[in-house]
Amino acid sequence: MQEREIILRLSMGIAAQSGHEDTAVTLMRNADIALNAAKAKGKGRYERYQPQQHAALSDRMDLESDLARAIERRQLVLHYQPSVRLKDGVLLGFEALVRWNHPRRGLVSPADFIALADETGLIVPLQRWVLGQACADGRHWQIQFPAAAAMQISVNVSRRGLEDADLVTDVATACTAAAFAPARLVLELTHGASLKGNDALARLLALHESGVRLALDDFGAGSAPLTALRDLPVDIVKLDHSFVARMGANATDATVARAVIDLGNTLGMMTMADGIERAEQFSALRGIGCVAGQGYFLSRPLPAAAVERLLADCDAAGVELRLPSLRLDKVS
Ligand code: C2E
Ligand code: MG
């Protein structure tokens, strides 16, 4: 038998008795909580139990059990952020962004629960609900506002969401149930790493084959590597907002932004910038050939009712949909 060296790494949680009321069970539970904290901080280390770790863990457990019921209790809502073509301000579509209307915590941002949904697997029903709702809303707007027929609706798919074996079926079911054309649906991938030879890659190829368009989200940051451009049938590249934020102030960021836009345009993909907050960023991005964009300068994410008012205004304004708030003559 071949000898092999096995390297073990150890994580440790330490709990000390703080008073006579501590039972063996309490001590073991506290050590376990400290062990979880050690693992969460990167493994291979030790943590001593602190009472606030218990509070954080029970808060997380509360959030987890609330999230499990959020869908059936109809507490999830979608807000939609418009994206426009930078050269003329024509509205291209909307990105669906989930929010959780929590009875005690108020409107909870996805930054505070998507990671939890990913870790617990709750992302699967959540993603199914988002797909169904976004396709239904998209179809409703297409019927109400014929000029909106060509608009695209984008839905974010997380790393764990991509691992869901039912993703292809769920997308097809959502499109069919709402009579929403798959070609109008964009899936935004925040994680393009290690897809090669993986089931997720086969799923994305099948989705693309069905007409769904794929976007690489947060490109340049996050973890979508250049190989994702080679391995995946990418239709849209979304430049990460961190580059947009620093474009004016930092020469390196401006160069990277230009390189990403050049790369996307050369590969025949639609280039889009995220997080445009100011007129200068809008014109700088347009100047380097970025085709589309979204951000607070154009519009914040809107509840569905506000999208309808926006589409009604756009429809009244002309054949092509334009954001009424966008005055291109004010942008150099
Ligand atoms: P993302 O896909 O990169 O979405 C863009 C985020 O930037 C949104 O935050 C949006 O509100 C925000 N944003 C848009 N314009 C601006 C701007 O000009 N300035 C700044 N500072 N921020 C801007 P939000 O809605 O909090 O979503 C955060 C992230 O949560 C999303 O990032 C996405 O990764 C994830 N997420 C949201 N909805 C879903 C969902 O339904 N499923 C999954 N898997 N993830 C989602
Ligand atoms: Mg996105």
Side-chain angles (χ1 to χ4, degrees):
M1 210 170 74
Q2 207 183 346
E3 281 193 10
R4 283 170 61 191
E5 188 184 14
I6 296 176
I7 298 168
L8 296 177
R9 289 174 74 221
L10 184 81
S11 300
M12 196 187 291
I14 303 169
Q17 192 171 22
S18 57
H20 289 299
E21 67 280 7
D22 281 349
T23 61
V25 173
T26 315
L27 273 177
M28 287 302 288
R29 184 206 65 189
N30 292 351
D32 211 30
I33 291 172
L35 174 62
N36 273 323
K39 286 182 181 168
K41 286 185 179 168
K43 301 184 180 163
R45 53 183 292 152
Y46 68 89
E47 281 291 316
R48 283 176 199 281
Y49 172 74
Q50 311 281 348
Q52 57 270 34
Q53 287 168 349
H54 185 216
L57 186 75
S58 74
D59 188 55
R60 193 192 132 96
M61 283 165 69
D62 283 351
L63 202 65
E64 189 180 324
S65 66
D66 286 354
L67 186 57
R69 291 184 189 84
I71 300 177
E72 68 198 51
R73 291 181 179 163
R74 298 173 181 272
Q75 291 168 352
L76 296 182
V77 280
L78 290 183
H79 283 191
Y80 291 92
Q81 188 174 35
S83 56
V84 304
R85 197 159 65 194
L86 300 188
K87 89 172 171 201
D88 51 13
V90 164
L91 197 56
L92 297 174
F94 293 90
E95 176 175 5
L97 295 158
V98 71
R99 273 99 184 85
W100 178 9
N101 214 340
H102 192 283
R104 277 174 292 109
R105 298 170 196 249
L107 208 59
V108 185
S109 139
D112 296 327
F113 66 90
I114 290 292
L116 179 67
D118 261 346
E119 281 164 36
T120 54
L122 287 169
I123 195 71
V124 172
L126 187 149
Q127 174 168 278
R128 199 172 290 140
W129 178 84
V130 171
L131 280 165
Q133 188 64 44
C135 290
D137 286 341
R139 180 66 190 143
H140 176 62
W141 298 329
Q142 284 174 344
I143 294 168
Q144 260 193 305
F145 310 100
M151 277 186 348
Q152 62 196 25
I153 299 284
S154 306
V155 166
N156 290 282
V157 176
S158 68
R159 176 193 190 153
R160 174 70 180 78
L162 204 54
E163 284 165 11
D164 176 23
D166 294 331
L167 179 64
V168 181
T169 320
D170 287 346
V171 168
T173 307
C175 288
T176 310
F180 188 74
R184 297 279 161 250
L185 181 66
V186 177
L187 297 183
E188 295 196 0
L189 316 172
T190 37
H191 193 87
S194 25
L195 283 174
K196 206 162 166 53
N198 174 315
D199 288 348
L201 177 62
R203 274 190 277 286
L204 290 173
L205 294 175
L207 283 164
H208 197 256
E209 192 65 25
S210 74
V212 172
R213 303 171 76 216
L214 302 178
L216 283 188
D217 211 353
D218 309 329
F219 195 75
S223 46
L226 280 177
T227 49
L229 292 176
R230 184 195 59 199
D231 300 335
L232 281 176
V234 178
D235 302 285
I236 301 165
V237 178
K238 289 186 82 171
L239 175 68
D240 187 65
H241 57 85
S242 60
F243 293 106
V244 176
R246 294 191 298 242
M247 260 177 90
N250 183 311
T252 309
D253 282 292
T255 308
V256 174
R258 183 187 287 271
V260 169
I261 300 302
D262 282 349
L263 180 67
N265 287 338
T266 310
L267 292 172
M269 296 157 185
M270 178 192 268
T271 47
M272 189 181 280
D274 221 347
I276 306 177
E277 291 187 351
R278 296 192 303 277
E280 314 87 80
Q281 294 168 340
F282 183 99
S283 13
L285 286 158
R286 196 165 55 169
I288 59 171
C290 180
V291 174
Q294 66 187 79
Y296 296 166
F297 173 64
L298 301 156
S299 166
R300 288 199 172 244
L302 304 166
V307 171
E308 293 193 9
R309 286 196 293 277
L310 172 76
L311 289 172
D313 282 353
C314 286
D315 239 19
V319 194
E320 288 194 313
L321 300 176
R322 281 195 177 74
L323 270 191
S325 57
L326 180 60
R327 292 275 312 276
L328 282 177
D329 52 333
K330 298 258 188 243
V331 182
S332 59

